[in-house]
Amino acid sequence: MGISKDRIKFNVGGRLFETTSTTLANAGRDSFFGALFDDEWNLSPPEKDIFVDRNPDCFAVLLDLLRTGDLNVPTNIPERLLHREASFYGLLDHVRTAKWGPFDGNRLRLGDSVKGIAPGDGTAIRAGPDGGCCVAHGSVVHVLDWMLEEHCPINLDYQRVNDVGWIDSDNIVLSACERLGRGDGGMGLFSSSSGDLRYKFQVSHENQVKSYTAGALSFCPDYKIFASCKGRSNEYGIGVWDQITGKQTDFFYESPGWSLGDADKLQWLNGKNCLLVATLFPRKDNCYISLLDFRDKNMVWSWSDIGSPMAIDEKRVRDAIAMEDSNSICVVNEFEDLGFIDLRMYGGSVRWSSRSRLMKSKMPDEPCYPKLALHEGQLFSSMNDSISVFCGPDWVLTSRLRRSYGGSICDFSIGGDRLFALHSEENVFDVWETPPPPII
């Protein structure tokens, strides 16, 4: 595009600034500055002195961001004020990009610790696609945007929230327990900004709508929602709904001797076009992991520790995650020992790797069960008050994230180029970010 080199003057709140249209073009067409120019980035109309009745200190910071790509905020400017001014100029995305860089588990630093969101035992924390998050505890879900400003909370009136998932930055799905005698429970789609219920997801069994408890959630690219379900009749299994319409499209019923409706974790596998379903100890006395193919209602792979020789509790699987690139499932026990199950072998054994024996750390009074996450080729495992990062084909421990307070980590989530860790003993969650790349 042709860019005019003419200098432009701004009078912002009584202070004069001078810049060029080349600099302002970095703001993009959808910004306040983009609206001042024609298609050739010439001022329209061609005035050279523009008055803006806004905060001049923030304008200076944002103008410097457009010039250099670097964000330097003086200590006398509150972050909330800068975000407000950036929103006016249409530069929030620029500020967000400058605050932290592309996610890298080995370069994470603590960006913030947020208190007062989840009093008591938190249920779950979920990272949003735009760098925000939501925190569930009891019957309440608190929603925060990427600036960590809280929106209207979602209150389910004493129905315990079991899981939370983001469809996009505007919509959140909640799964909840059924209330006996009320017919409530199940799942609902809520607005992330207002907290309003948009619609409920119903389960039909033998052409009748049934009340049910929804548990673990998962999503797939073709706009389907999966949830583990428990009903009063025979509605034990995995339900499937259309994200757009909210209508039930399928149901995989639990077979005798197996466990699906109590699943702790669901994970959609794009390459295999299957759903991982994991029911883990201590929810059940035994662990059940399976891959479900909904195209022909078939369980194409399964593993269980039923009948496995276990002299001590340390071999109990506490979490599981599928790793499609290596055709395996990674599992973890309460000592953060990683184990791997070969997906090419039906019902194979777990190959354990005792990396955590080198930690020599003291177990807390109330330890939390470890959780696993896989993100862009890096494996993450929470253990007590820290999160370990494993990399490479042999999953070597490369770094560990730890805070000095807050107690054990009961849940963590990665998304929007951030990692969120929810602590169990203190009313706090941590936000880990990758520093932005250096400006050359």
Coordinates of all heavy atoms in Angstrom, one line a residue, residues 12-101:
V12 N -3.6 16.1 22.4 CA -4.3 15.1 23.3 C -4.4 15.6 24.7 O -3.4 15.7 25.4 CB -3.6 13.7 23.3 CG1 -4.4 12.7 24.1 CG2 -3.5 13.2 21.8
G13 N -5.5 16.1 25.1 CA -5.7 16.6 26.5 C -4.9 17.8 26.8 O -4.5 18.0 27.9
G14 N -4.5 18.6 25.7 CA -3.7 19.8 25.9 C -2.2 19.6 25.7 O -1.5 20.6 25.7
R15 N -1.8 18.3 25.4 CA -0.4 18.1 25.1 C -0.2 17.8 23.6 O -1.1 17.1 23.0 CB 0.2 16.9 25.9 CG 0.6 17.3 27.3 CD 1.0 16.1 28.1 NE 2.0 15.3 27.5 CZ 2.5 14.1 28.0 NH1 2.0 13.6 29.1 NH2 3.5 13.5 27.3
L16 N 0.9 18.3 23.0 CA 1.1 18.2 21.6 C 2.0 17.0 21.3 O 3.0 16.7 22.0 CB 1.7 19.4 21.0 CG 0.9 20.7 21.1 CD1 1.7 21.9 20.5 CD2 -0.4 20.5 20.4
F17 N 1.6 16.2 20.3 CA 2.4 15.1 19.8 C 2.5 15.2 18.3 O 1.6 15.7 17.6 CB 1.7 13.7 20.2 CG 1.5 13.5 21.6 CD1 0.4 14.0 22.3 CD2 2.4 12.8 22.4 CE1 0.2 13.8 23.7 CE2 2.3 12.5 23.7 CZ 1.2 13.0 24.4
E18 N 3.7 14.7 17.8 CA 3.9 14.7 16.4 C 4.4 13.3 16.0 O 5.3 12.7 16.6 CB 5.0 15.8 16.0 CG 5.1 16.0 14.5 CD 5.9 17.2 14.2 OE1 6.3 18.0 15.1 OE2 6.1 17.5 13.0
T19 N 3.8 12.8 14.9 CA 4.1 11.5 14.4 C 3.9 11.5 12.9 O 3.7 12.5 12.3 CB 3.3 10.4 15.1 OG1 3.7 9.1 14.7 CG2 1.8 10.6 14.8
T20 N 4.0 10.3 12.3 CA 3.8 10.2 10.8 C 2.7 9.2 10.6 O 2.3 8.3 11.4 CB 5.0 9.7 10.1 OG1 5.3 8.4 10.5 CG2 6.2 10.6 10.5
S21 N 2.1 9.2 9.4 CA 1.1 8.3 9.0 C 1.7 6.9 8.9 O 1.0 5.9 9.1 CB 0.4 8.7 7.7 OG 1.4 8.8 6.7
T22 N 3.0 6.8 8.7 CA 3.7 5.4 8.6 C 3.5 4.8 10.0 O 3.2 3.6 10.1 CB 5.1 5.6 8.3 OG1 5.2 6.2 7.0 CG2 5.8 4.2 8.2
T23 N 3.8 5.5 11.1 CA 3.7 5.0 12.4 C 2.2 4.6 12.7 O 1.9 3.6 13.3 CB 4.2 6.0 13.4 OG1 5.6 6.2 13.2 CG2 3.9 5.5 14.9
L24 N 1.3 5.5 12.4 CA -0.1 5.3 12.7 C -0.7 4.1 11.9 O -1.6 3.4 12.3 CB -0.9 6.5 12.4 CG -0.6 7.8 13.2 CD1 -1.4 8.9 12.9 CD2 -0.7 7.5 14.7
A25 N -0.1 3.8 10.7 CA -0.5 2.7 9.9 C -0.3 1.4 10.7 O -1.0 0.4 10.4 CB 0.2 2.6 8.6
N26 N 0.6 1.3 11.6 CA 0.8 0.1 12.4 C -0.4 -0.2 13.3 O -0.5 -1.4 13.8 CB 2.1 0.3 13.3 CG 3.3 0.3 12.5 OD1 3.4 -0.3 11.4 ND2 4.3 1.1 12.9
A27 N -1.3 0.7 13.5 CA -2.5 0.5 14.3 C -3.5 -0.4 13.6 O -4.4 -1.0 14.2 CB -3.1 1.8 14.8
G28 N -3.4 -0.3 12.2 CA -4.4 -1.1 11.5 C -5.6 -0.4 11.1 O -6.0 0.7 11.7
R29 N -6.4 -0.9 10.1 CA -7.5 -0.2 9.6 C -8.7 -0.1 10.6 O -9.5 0.8 10.5 CB -8.0 -1.0 8.3 CG -7.3 -0.6 7.1 CD -7.6 0.8 6.7 NE -6.9 1.2 5.5 CZ -6.8 2.4 5.0 NH1 -7.3 3.4 5.8 NH2 -6.2 2.7 3.9
D30 N -8.8 -1.1 11.5 CA -9.9 -1.1 12.4 C -9.7 -0.3 13.7 O -10.5 -0.3 14.6 CB -10.2 -2.6 12.8 CG -10.6 -3.5 11.7 OD1 -11.2 -2.9 10.7 OD2 -10.4 -4.7 11.7
S31 N -8.6 0.5 13.7 CA -8.3 1.3 14.9 C -8.9 2.7 14.7 O -9.4 3.1 13.7 CB -6.8 1.3 15.1 OG -6.2 2.1 14.0
F32 N -8.8 3.5 15.8 CA -9.2 4.9 15.8 C -8.4 5.6 14.7 O -8.9 6.5 14.0 CB -8.9 5.5 17.2 CG -9.0 7.0 17.2 CD1 -10.2 7.6 17.5 CD2 -7.9 7.8 17.1 CE1 -10.3 9.0 17.6 CE2 -7.9 9.2 17.1 CZ -9.2 9.8 17.4
F33 N -7.1 5.3 14.6 CA -6.2 6.0 13.7 C -6.5 5.6 12.2 O -6.4 6.4 11.3 CB -4.7 5.7 14.0 CG -4.4 6.2 15.4 CD1 -4.2 5.2 16.4 CD2 -4.3 7.5 15.8 CE1 -3.9 5.6 17.7 CE2 -4.0 7.9 17.1 CZ -3.8 6.9 18.0
G34 N -6.8 4.3 12.0 CA -7.1 3.8 10.7 C -8.3 4.6 10.1 O -8.4 4.8 8.9
A35 N -9.3 5.0 10.9 CA -10.5 5.7 10.4 C -10.2 7.1 10.0 O -11.0 7.7 9.3 CB -11.5 5.7 11.5
L36 N -9.0 7.6 10.3 CA -8.6 9.0 9.9 C -8.1 9.1 8.5 O -8.0 10.2 8.0 CB -7.6 9.5 10.9 CG -7.9 9.6 12.4 CD1 -6.7 10.1 13.2 CD2 -9.1 10.5 12.6
F37 N -7.8 7.9 7.9 CA -7.1 8.0 6.6 C -8.0 7.4 5.5 O -8.9 6.6 5.8 CB -5.8 7.2 6.7 CG -4.8 7.8 7.6 CD1 -4.8 7.4 9.0 CD2 -3.9 8.7 7.2 CE1 -3.9 8.0 9.9 CE2 -3.0 9.3 8.1 CZ -3.0 8.9 9.4
D38 N -7.6 7.7 4.2 CA -8.3 7.1 3.1 C -7.6 5.8 2.7 O -6.7 5.4 3.5 CB -8.4 8.1 1.9 CG -7.0 8.5 1.5 OD1 -6.0 7.8 1.8 OD2 -6.9 9.6 0.8
D39 N -7.9 5.3 1.6 CA -7.3 4.0 1.2 C -5.8 4.1 1.0 O -5.1 3.1 1.0 CB -8.0 3.4 -0.1 CG -9.4 3.0 0.2 OD1 -9.8 2.8 1.4 OD2 -10.2 2.9 -0.8
E40 N -5.3 5.3 0.7 CA -3.9 5.5 0.4 C -3.1 6.0 1.7 O -2.0 6.4 1.6 CB -3.7 6.4 -0.7 CG -4.3 6.0 -2.0 CD -3.7 4.7 -2.5 OE1 -2.4 4.5 -2.3 OE2 -4.4 3.8 -3.1
W41 N -3.8 5.9 2.8 CA -3.2 6.4 4.1 C -2.9 7.8 4.0 O -1.9 8.3 4.6 CB -2.0 5.5 4.5 CG -2.5 4.2 5.0 CD1 -2.6 3.0 4.3 CD2 -2.9 3.9 6.3 NE1 -3.0 2.0 5.1 CE2 -3.3 2.5 6.3 CE3 -3.1 4.6 7.5 CZ2 -3.8 1.8 7.5 CZ3 -3.6 3.9 8.6 CH2 -3.9 2.6 8.6
N42 N -3.8 8.6 3.4 CA -3.7 10.1 3.5 C -4.8 10.5 4.4 O -5.9 9.9 4.3 CB -3.8 10.7 2.1 CG -2.7 10.3 1.2 OD1 -1.5 10.5 1.5 ND2 -3.0 9.8 0.0
L43 N -4.6 11.6 5.1 CA -5.6 12.1 6.0 C -6.9 12.5 5.3 O -6.8 13.1 4.2 CB -5.1 13.3 6.8 CG -4.3 13.0 8.0 CD1 -3.8 14.3 8.6 CD2 -5.1 12.3 9.1
S44 N -8.0 12.1 5.8 CA -9.3 12.4 5.1 C -10.3 12.9 6.2 O -10.7 12.1 7.0 CB -9.8 11.2 4.4 OG -11.1 11.5 3.8
P45 N -10.6 14.2 6.2 CA -10.1 15.3 5.4 C -8.6 15.6 5.7 O -8.2 15.3 6.8 CB -11.0 16.5 5.7 CG -11.4 16.2 7.1 CD -11.6 14.7 7.2
P46 N -7.9 16.3 4.8 CA -6.5 16.6 5.0 C -6.2 17.7 6.1 O -5.6 18.7 5.7 CB -6.0 17.0 3.6 CG -7.2 17.6 3.0 CD -8.4 16.8 3.5
E47 N -6.4 17.4 7.3 CA -6.1 18.3 8.4 C -4.8 17.8 9.1 O -4.7 16.6 9.2 CB -7.2 18.5 9.4 CG -7.8 17.2 9.9 CD -8.9 17.4 10.9 OE1 -8.8 18.2 11.8 OE2 -10.0 16.8 10.6
K48 N -4.0 18.7 9.6 CA -2.7 18.3 10.1 C -2.6 18.5 11.6 O -1.6 18.2 12.2 CB -1.6 19.1 9.5 CG -1.5 18.9 8.0 CD -1.2 17.4 7.6 CE -1.1 17.2 6.1 NZ 0.1 17.6 5.5
D49 N -3.7 18.9 12.3 CA -3.7 19.1 13.7 C -5.0 18.6 14.3 O -6.1 19.2 14.0 CB -3.6 20.6 14.0 CG -3.2 20.8 15.5 OD1 -3.3 19.9 16.3 OD2 -2.9 22.0 15.9
I50 N -4.9 17.5 14.9 CA -6.1 16.7 15.4 C -6.2 16.8 16.9 O -5.3 16.4 17.6 CB -6.1 15.3 14.9 CG1 -5.9 15.2 13.4 CG2 -7.3 14.5 15.4 CD1 -5.6 13.8 12.9
F51 N -7.4 17.2 17.4 CA -7.6 17.3 18.8 C -8.3 16.0 19.3 O -9.3 15.6 18.7 CB -8.4 18.5 19.2 CG -8.7 18.6 20.7 CD1 -7.7 19.0 21.6 CD2 -10.0 18.3 21.2 CE1 -8.0 19.1 22.9 CE2 -10.2 18.4 22.5 CZ -9.2 18.7 23.4
V52 N -7.8 15.4 20.4 CA -8.4 14.3 21.0 C -8.5 14.5 22.5 O -7.5 14.8 23.2 CB -7.6 13.0 20.8 CG1 -8.3 11.8 21.3 CG2 -7.3 12.8 19.3
D53 N -9.7 14.5 23.0 CA -9.9 14.8 24.4 C -9.8 13.5 25.3 O -10.8 13.0 25.8 CB -11.3 15.4 24.6 CG -11.5 16.0 26.0 OD1 -10.5 16.2 26.7 OD2 -12.7 16.2 26.4
R54 N -8.5 13.0 25.4 CA -8.2 11.8 26.1 C -7.0 12.0 27.0 O -6.4 13.1 27.0 CB -8.0 10.6 25.2 CG -9.1 10.3 24.2 CD -10.4 9.8 24.9 NE -10.3 8.6 25.6 CZ -11.3 7.9 26.1 NH1 -12.5 8.4 26.0 NH2 -11.1 6.8 26.8
N55 N -6.6 11.0 27.7 CA -5.4 11.0 28.6 C -4.1 11.1 27.8 O -3.8 10.2 27.1 CB -5.4 9.8 29.5 CG -4.4 9.9 30.6 OD1 -3.2 9.7 30.3 ND2 -4.8 10.1 31.8
P56 N -3.4 12.2 28.0 CA -2.1 12.3 27.2 C -1.0 11.4 27.6 O -0.2 11.0 26.8 CB -1.7 13.8 27.5 CG -2.4 14.1 28.8 CD -3.6 13.4 28.9
D57 N -1.0 11.0 28.9 CA 0.1 10.1 29.4 C -0.1 8.7 28.7 O 0.9 8.1 28.3 CB 0.1 10.0 30.9 CG 0.4 11.3 31.6 OD1 1.2 12.1 31.0 OD2 0.0 11.5 32.7
C58 N -1.3 8.2 28.7 CA -1.5 7.0 28.0 C -1.3 7.0 26.5 O -0.8 6.1 25.9 CB -3.0 6.5 28.3 SG -3.2 6.0 30.0
F59 N -1.7 8.2 25.9 CA -1.4 8.3 24.5 C 0.0 8.2 24.2 O 0.4 7.6 23.2 CB -2.0 9.7 24.0 CG -1.9 9.9 22.5 CD1 -3.0 9.5 21.7 CD2 -0.8 10.5 22.0 CE1 -2.9 9.6 20.4 CE2 -0.8 10.7 20.6 CZ -1.8 10.3 19.8
A60 N 0.9 8.8 25.0 CA 2.3 8.7 24.8 C 2.8 7.3 24.8 O 3.7 6.9 24.0 CB 3.1 9.6 25.9
V61 N 2.3 6.5 25.8 CA 2.7 5.1 25.8 C 2.3 4.3 24.6 O 3.0 3.5 24.0 CB 2.1 4.4 27.1 CG1 2.4 2.9 27.1 CG2 2.7 5.1 28.4
L62 N 1.0 4.5 24.2 CA 0.5 3.8 23.0 C 1.2 4.3 21.7 O 1.4 3.4 20.8 CB -1.0 4.0 22.9 CG -1.8 3.5 24.1 CD1 -3.3 3.9 24.0 CD2 -1.7 2.0 24.2
L63 N 1.5 5.5 21.6 CA 2.2 6.0 20.4 C 3.6 5.4 20.3 O 4.0 5.0 19.2 CB 2.3 7.5 20.4 CG 2.9 8.2 19.2 CD1 2.1 7.8 17.9 CD2 2.9 9.7 19.4
D64 N 4.2 5.3 21.5 CA 5.6 4.6 21.5 C 5.4 3.2 21.1 O 6.3 2.6 20.5 CB 6.2 4.8 22.9 CG 7.6 4.3 22.9 OD1 8.5 4.8 22.2 OD2 7.8 3.3 23.7
L65 N 4.3 2.5 21.5 CA 4.1 1.1 21.2 C 4.0 1.0 19.7 O 4.5 0.0 19.1 CB 2.8 0.6 21.9 CG 2.3 -0.8 21.5 CD1 3.3 -1.8 21.8 CD2 1.0 -1.1 22.1
L66 N 3.3 1.9 19.0 CA 3.2 1.9 17.5 C 4.5 2.1 16.9 O 4.8 1.6 15.8 CB 2.1 2.9 17.1 CG 0.7 2.6 17.5 CD1 -0.2 3.7 17.0 CD2 0.2 1.3 17.0
R67 N 5.3 2.9 17.5 CA 6.6 3.3 16.9 C 7.6 2.1 17.0 O 8.3 1.8 16.0 CB 7.2 4.5 17.6 CG 6.6 5.8 17.2 CD 7.1 6.9 18.1 NE 6.6 8.2 17.8 CZ 6.5 9.2 18.6 NH1 6.8 9.1 19.9 NH2 6.0 10.4 18.2
T68 N 7.7 1.5 18.1 CA 8.7 0.5 18.4 C 8.2 -1.0 18.6 O 9.1 -1.9 18.5 CB 9.4 0.9 19.7 OG1 8.5 0.8 20.8 CG2 9.9 2.3 19.7
G69 N 7.0 -1.1 18.8 CA 6.5 -2.5 19.1 C 6.7 -2.9 20.5 O 6.4 -4.0 20.9
D70 N 7.3 -2.0 21.3 CA 7.6 -2.3 22.7 C 6.6 -1.6 23.6 O 6.3 -0.4 23.3 CB 9.0 -2.0 23.0 CG 9.6 -2.7 24.3 OD1 8.9 -3.6 24.8 OD2 10.7 -2.3 24.7
L71 N 6.3 -2.2 24.8 CA 5.3 -1.6 25.7 C 6.1 -1.2 27.0 O 6.5 -2.1 27.7 CB 4.2 -2.5 26.0 CG 3.1 -2.0 26.9 CD1 2.3 -0.8 26.3 CD2 2.1 -3.1 27.3
N72 N 6.2 0.1 27.2 CA 6.9 0.6 28.4 C 5.9 1.5 29.2 O 5.5 2.6 28.7 CB 8.1 1.4 28.1 CG 9.2 0.5 27.5 OD1 9.7 -0.4 28.1 ND2 9.5 0.7 26.2
V73 N 5.4 1.0 30.3 CA 4.4 1.7 31.1 C 5.0 2.3 32.3 O 5.5 1.5 33.2 CB 3.2 0.7 31.5 CG1 2.1 1.5 32.1 CG2 2.7 0.0 30.2
P74 N 5.0 3.6 32.5 CA 5.5 4.2 33.7 C 4.7 3.8 34.9 O 3.5 3.5 34.8 CB 5.3 5.7 33.4 CG 5.2 5.9 31.9 CD 4.6 4.6 31.5
T75 N 5.3 3.8 36.1 CA 4.7 3.3 37.3 C 3.5 4.2 37.7 O 2.6 3.8 38.5 CB 5.7 3.3 38.4 OG1 6.3 4.6 38.6 CG2 6.8 2.3 38.1
N76 N 3.4 5.4 37.2 CA 2.3 6.3 37.6 C 1.1 6.1 36.8 O 0.1 6.8 37.0 CB 2.8 7.8 37.5 CG 3.1 8.2 36.0 OD1 3.7 7.5 35.3 ND2 2.6 9.4 35.6
I77 N 1.1 5.2 35.8 CA -0.1 5.0 35.0 C -0.7 3.6 35.4 O -0.1 2.6 35.2 CB 0.3 4.9 33.5 CG1 0.8 6.3 33.0 CG2 -0.9 4.5 32.7 CD1 1.2 6.3 31.6
P78 N -1.9 3.6 36.0 CA -2.5 2.4 36.3 C -2.8 1.5 35.1 O -3.2 2.0 34.0 CB -3.8 2.8 37.0 CG -3.6 4.2 37.4 CD -2.7 4.8 36.4
E79 N -2.6 0.2 35.3 CA -2.8 -0.7 34.1 C -4.3 -0.6 33.6 O -4.5 -0.7 32.4 CB -2.5 -2.1 34.5 CG -2.4 -3.1 33.4 CD -1.8 -4.4 33.8 OE1 -2.1 -4.9 34.9 OE2 -1.0 -5.0 33.0
R80 N -5.2 -0.5 34.5 CA -6.6 -0.4 34.1 C -6.9 0.8 33.3 O -7.6 0.7 32.3 CB -7.5 -0.4 35.4 CG -9.0 -0.4 35.1 CD -9.8 -0.3 36.4 NE -11.2 -0.4 36.1 CZ -11.9 -1.5 36.2 NH1 -11.3 -2.7 36.5 NH2 -13.2 -1.5 35.9
L81 N -6.2 1.9 33.6 CA -6.4 3.2 32.8 C -5.8 3.0 31.4 O -6.4 3.4 30.4 CB -5.7 4.3 33.5 CG -5.7 5.7 32.8 CD1 -7.1 6.2 32.5 CD2 -4.9 6.7 33.6
L82 N -4.6 2.3 31.3 CA -4.0 2.1 30.0 C -4.9 1.2 29.2 O -5.1 1.5 28.0 CB -2.6 1.5 30.2 CG -1.9 1.2 28.9 CD1 -1.5 2.5 28.2 CD2 -0.7 0.4 29.1
H83 N -5.5 0.2 29.8 CA -6.4 -0.7 29.0 C -7.6 0.0 28.5 O -8.1 -0.2 27.4 CB -6.8 -1.9 29.9 CG -5.6 -2.8 30.2 ND1 -5.7 -3.7 31.2 CD2 -4.4 -3.0 29.6 CE1 -4.6 -4.4 31.2 NE2 -3.8 -3.9 30.3
R84 N -8.1 0.9 29.3 CA -9.3 1.7 28.9 C -9.0 2.6 27.7 O -9.7 2.7 26.7 CB -9.8 2.5 30.1 CG -11.1 3.3 29.8 CD -11.4 4.3 30.9 NE -10.4 5.4 30.8 CZ -10.4 6.3 31.8 NH1 -11.2 6.3 32.8 NH2 -9.5 7.3 31.7
E85 N -7.8 3.3 27.8 CA -7.4 4.1 26.7 C -7.1 3.3 25.4 O -7.4 3.7 24.3 CB -6.2 5.0 27.1 CG -6.5 6.0 28.2 CD -7.6 7.0 27.7 OE1 -7.3 7.8 26.9 OE2 -8.7 6.9 28.3
A86 N -6.4 2.2 25.6 CA -6.1 1.3 24.4 C -7.4 0.8 23.8 O -7.5 0.7 22.5 CB -5.3 0.1 24.9
S87 N -8.4 0.5 24.6 CA -9.7 0.1 24.0 C -10.3 1.2 23.2 O -10.9 1.0 22.1 CB -10.7 -0.3 25.1 OG -11.9 -0.6 24.6
F88 N -10.2 2.5 23.6 CA -10.8 3.6 22.9 C -10.1 3.7 21.5 O -10.8 4.0 20.5 CB -10.6 4.9 23.7 CG -10.9 6.2 22.9 CD1 -12.2 6.6 22.8 CD2 -9.9 6.9 22.3 CE1 -12.6 7.7 22.0 CE2 -10.2 8.1 21.5 CZ -11.6 8.5 21.4
Y89 N -8.8 3.5 21.5 CA -8.0 3.7 20.2 C -8.0 2.4 19.4 O -7.5 2.4 18.3 CB -6.6 4.1 20.5 CG -6.5 5.5 21.1 CD1 -6.0 5.7 22.4 CD2 -6.7 6.6 20.3 CE1 -5.9 6.9 23.0 CE2 -6.6 7.9 20.9 CZ -6.2 8.0 22.2 OH -6.1 9.3 22.8
G90 N -8.7 1.3 19.9 CA -8.7 0.1 19.1 C -7.3 -0.6 19.2 O -7.0 -1.3 18.2
L91 N -6.6 -0.5 20.3 CA -5.2 -1.0 20.3 C -5.1 -2.1 21.4 O -3.9 -2.4 21.8 CB -4.2 0.1 20.6 CG -4.1 1.2 19.5 CD1 -3.1 2.3 19.9 CD2 -3.7 0.6 18.2
L92 N -6.2 -2.7 21.9 CA -6.1 -3.7 22.9 C -5.3 -4.9 22.5 O -4.5 -5.4 23.2 CB -7.5 -4.1 23.4 CG -8.1 -3.3 24.5 CD1 -9.5 -3.8 24.8 CD2 -7.2 -3.3 25.8
D93 N -5.5 -5.3 21.2 CA -4.7 -6.4 20.7 C -3.2 -6.1 20.6 O -2.4 -7.0 20.9 CB -5.2 -6.9 19.3 CG -6.6 -7.6 19.4 OD1 -6.9 -8.0 20.5 OD2 -7.3 -7.7 18.4
H94 N -2.9 -4.9 20.3 CA -1.5 -4.5 20.3 C -0.9 -4.6 21.7 O 0.3 -5.1 21.9 CB -1.3 -3.1 19.7 CG -1.6 -3.0 18.3 ND1 -2.9 -3.1 17.8 CD2 -0.8 -2.7 17.2 CE1 -2.9 -3.0 16.4 NE2 -1.6 -2.7 16.1
V95 N -1.6 -4.1 22.7 CA -1.1 -4.1 24.1 C -1.0 -5.6 24.5 O 0.1 -6.0 25.1 CB -2.1 -3.4 25.0 CG1 -1.7 -3.6 26.5 CG2 -2.1 -1.9 24.6
R96 N -1.9 -6.4 24.2 CA -1.9 -7.8 24.6 C -0.7 -8.5 24.0 O 0.1 -9.3 24.7 CB -3.2 -8.5 24.2 CG -3.2 -10.0 24.5 CD -4.5 -10.6 24.1 NE -4.6 -12.0 24.2 CZ -4.2 -12.9 23.3 NH1 -3.7 -12.5 22.2 NH2 -4.3 -14.2 23.6
T97 N -0.4 -8.3 22.7 CA 0.7 -8.9 22.0 C 2.0 -8.5 22.6 O 3.0 -9.3 22.7 CB 0.7 -8.6 20.5 OG1 -0.6 -9.0 20.0 CG2 1.8 -9.2 19.8
A98 N 2.1 -7.2 23.0 CA 3.3 -6.7 23.6 C 3.6 -7.1 25.0 O 4.7 -7.1 25.5 CB 3.3 -5.1 23.5
K99 N 2.5 -7.5 25.7 CA 2.7 -7.9 27.1 C 3.3 -9.3 27.3 O 4.0 -9.5 28.3 CB 1.3 -7.8 27.9 CG 0.9 -6.4 28.2 CD -0.5 -6.4 28.8 CE -0.5 -7.0 30.2 NZ 0.2 -6.2 31.2
W100 N 2.9 -10.2 26.4 CA 3.6 -11.6 26.5 C 3.7 -12.1 25.1 O 2.9 -11.8 24.2 CB 2.8 -12.5 27.5 CG 1.4 -12.9 27.1 CD1 1.1 -14.0 26.3 CD2 0.2 -12.3 27.4 NE1 -0.3 -14.1 26.2 CE2 -0.8 -13.0 26.9 CE3 -0.1 -11.2 28.2 CZ2 -2.2 -12.7 27.0 CZ3 -1.5 -10.8 28.4 CH2 -2.5 -11.6 27.8
G101 N 4.6 -13.1 24.9 CA 4.9 -13.6 23.6 C 4.3 -15.0 23.4 O 3.5 -15.5 24.2

